[in-house]
């Protein structure tokens, strides 16, 4: 479901309040709890994303612990949301009161959510809103039947099934502890009624905190209509209080993402080792091999193959492309292009249609044209390479002079010889070649061969003189004898069509 879909609960929710001021002590982390990342968003980001389709006129996020970091994160992921500071963490009820004070007049109901429930989904919230509207309640709480209610607030119902109270586990008696229907920490209600009831909430409980959950009991005592709506999928309501729960929520979220992808025709060879963020788009008939991670704003086009053991971050993969055992970040991989195994594509890498980056290649800030290849063991940084060019093995684009970075331009149909150093800034024109082992420091015009290396000199008989008695000297002597014998033979069988020996200028690195 996308954010553009119009909910059937249009206009019902006037304000959204997210409680995110708690310390999250049990995470044992300096990072504020709601900022922990899971499946491509922060915990808080997931809660806001679930509530966004309700199109509330106002969204307020209560911040406290790590408020600067949380507020900064908010301005990046939900700039329309207003951070409101709860100076002291006196409890969820106090946090809600601080938030309600910050709201202007609320047209419709207020939805209050814990900031640590990342599995909440839009459909679960709209079902709650609808149940609230249909019952005409003053307050409706989202509940869930769970196998293990440990640590959660219990929903106390009367004999007729009406919700009477929420009791925190540490304040519950044995009978209440046996209840398996729990508070999800999501509430929808009339803003004025909730605000008024919050003024009456005390702190006479085991933690000495002002509990938002007490509002429900107070409204029941007033004779106001309150209700509880059971979530269709209890997973949606699960919070996240420590690292073990964070890992469990991450796994559940990933399972959901992969289920959706497989239903849409994506082949997921090993769901246990394949991780896909909720923000990723994968087309039908893509194959994801074991050990694949697709993260951030990554998109994968139809028929592409990714993995095994590949990580793609914020990367666009074209139709029919393949990426094998590689790490790729902020790159564009053109249709039918191939990457890997064992390559590292860094930000700004753009591969054209059917381009190839082979094994042990690092690229950065480079445009590689259609059908062009960097097959082996190279570093290609800050370069524009045209179409149908070949970069020989072990080529280095020498882009850094120790102070500044410089660009290299390589034209179309170029052949860069193996082990060439292209010392930027430098240009190799269309159709040009460079000789293997060259250090190219000046431009090579179109169609020219750039040679920049010392000529070879063979010192005849050196091994016999300087390394006598070694296996090498013996092998050389044997080769001399064999050559002498062959020379005697050729005097009788003349061979006229022997090809000419390769010249220096032909020694190209090819693949
Ligand atoms: C809360 C509920 C519990 C419910 C559970 C669901 C209360 C008293 N209990 O328990 O019934 O089953 O969630 O996960 O609400 N917060 C503030 N300011 C504070 C205290 C808390 O903003 O002063 C925020 C936290 O950041 C968090 C939310 O309120 O997002 C809930 O607080 P938390 O401490 O996680 O409550 P739980 O013990 O999980
Ligand atoms: Ca919690």
């Amino acid at each position: 479901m996308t954010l553009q879909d119009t909910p059937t609960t249009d206009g019902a929710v006037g304000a959204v309040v997210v409680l995110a001021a708690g310390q999250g002590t049990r995470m044992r982390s300096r990072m504020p709890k709601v900022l922990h990342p899971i499946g491509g968003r922060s915990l808080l980001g997931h809660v806001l994303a679930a509530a966004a389709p309700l199109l509330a006129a106002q969204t307020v996020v209560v911040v406290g612990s790590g408020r600067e970091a949380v507020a900064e994160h908010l301005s990046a992921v939900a700039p329309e949301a207003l951070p409101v500071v709860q100076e002291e963490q006196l409890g969820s009820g106090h946090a809600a009161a601080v938030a309600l004070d910050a709201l202007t007049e609320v047209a419709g109901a207020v939805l209050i959510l814990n900031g640590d429930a990342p599995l909440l989904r839009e459909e679960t919230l709209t079902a709650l809103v609808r149940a609230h509207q249909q019952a005409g309640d003053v307050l409706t709480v989202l509940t869930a039947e769970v196998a293990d209610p440990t640590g959660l607030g219990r929903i106390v119902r009367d004999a007729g099934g009406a919700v009477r109270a929420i009791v925190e586990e540490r304040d519950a008696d044995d009978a209440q502890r046996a209840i398996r229907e729990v508070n999800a920490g999501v509430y929808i209600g009339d803003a004025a009624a909730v605000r008024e009831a919050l003024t009456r909430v005390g702190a006479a409980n085991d933690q000495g905190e002002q509990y938002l959950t007490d509002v429900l009991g107070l409204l029941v005592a007033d004779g106001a209509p309150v209700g509880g709506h059971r979530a269709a999928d209890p997973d949606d309501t699960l919070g996240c209080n420590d690292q073990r729960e964070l890992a469990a929520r991450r796994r559940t979220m990933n399972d959901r993402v992969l289920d959706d992808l497989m239903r849409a025709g994506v082949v997921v060879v090993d769901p246990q080792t394949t991780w896909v963020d909720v923000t990723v788009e994968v087309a039908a008939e893509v194959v994801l091999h074991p050990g694949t991670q697709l993260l951030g704003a990554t998109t994968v086009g139809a028929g592409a193959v990714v993995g095994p053991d590949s990580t793609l971050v914020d990367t666009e993969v074209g139709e029919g492309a393949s990426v094998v055992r590689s790490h790729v970040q902020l790159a564009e991989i053109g249709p039918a292009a191939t990457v890997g195994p064992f390559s590292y594509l860094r930000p700004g890498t753009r591969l054209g249609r059917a381009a190839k980056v082979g094994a042990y290649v690092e690229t950065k800030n480079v445009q590689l044209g259609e059908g062009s290849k960097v097959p082996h063991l190279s570093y290609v940084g800050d370069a524009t390479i045209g179409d149908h060019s070949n970069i020989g093995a072990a080529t280095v684009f020498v882009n850094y002079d120790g102070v500044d970075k410089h660009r290299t331009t390589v034209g179309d149909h170029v052949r860069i010889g193996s082990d060439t150093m292209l010392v930027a800034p430098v240009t190799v024109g269309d159709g040009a070649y460079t000789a293997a082992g060259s250090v190219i420091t000046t431009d090579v015009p179109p169609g020219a061969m750039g040679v920049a290396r010392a000529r070879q000199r063979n010192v005849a008989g050196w091994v016999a003189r300087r390394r006598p008695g070694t296996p090498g000297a013996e092998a050389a002597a044997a080769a001399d004898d064999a050559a002498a014998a062959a020379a005697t033979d050729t005097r009788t069988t003349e061979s006229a069509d022997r090809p000419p020996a390769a010249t220096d200028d032909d020694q190209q690195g090819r693949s």
Side-chain angles (χ1 to χ4, degrees), residues 358-434:
Y360 304 104
V361 174
E362 176 176 341
T363 65
K364 184 212 73 173
N365 203 9
V366 56
Q367 190 170 347
L368 186 64
E370 180 171 333
S372 286
K373 298 176 180 176
V374 188
H376 337 272
L377 297 157
S378 294
Y379 172 66
V380 186
D382 298 311
T384 304
I385 298 167
D387 298 338
H388 308 292
S389 288
N390 190 80
I391 310 299
T395 291
V396 174
F397 284 60
V398 183
N399 60 334
Y400 184 46
D401 62 13
V403 179
D404 295 311
K405 300 281 171 68
H406 302 280
R407 270 195 97 71
T408 297
T409 303
V410 173
D412 298 337
H413 297 284
V414 168
R415 297 287 178 268
I416 300 292
S418 290
D419 197 30
T420 297
M421 303 288 124
L422 294 163
V423 182
V426 72
T427 296
V428 180
D430 292 343
Y433 282 55
T434 68

Side-chain angles (χ1 to χ4, degrees), residues 19-22 26 33 62 86 89-92 95 114-116 152-153 166 168 183-185 187 211 213 239 241:
L19 308 182
R26 287 166 282 176
K33 176 163 78 168
V62 185
Q86 181 194 22
Q89 279 65 70
L90 303 177
S92 54
N114 285 356
D116 63 354
L152 297 167
I166 303 171
E168 293 306 298
N183 170 25
Y187 322 80
Y211 286 165
T213 47
N241 295 309

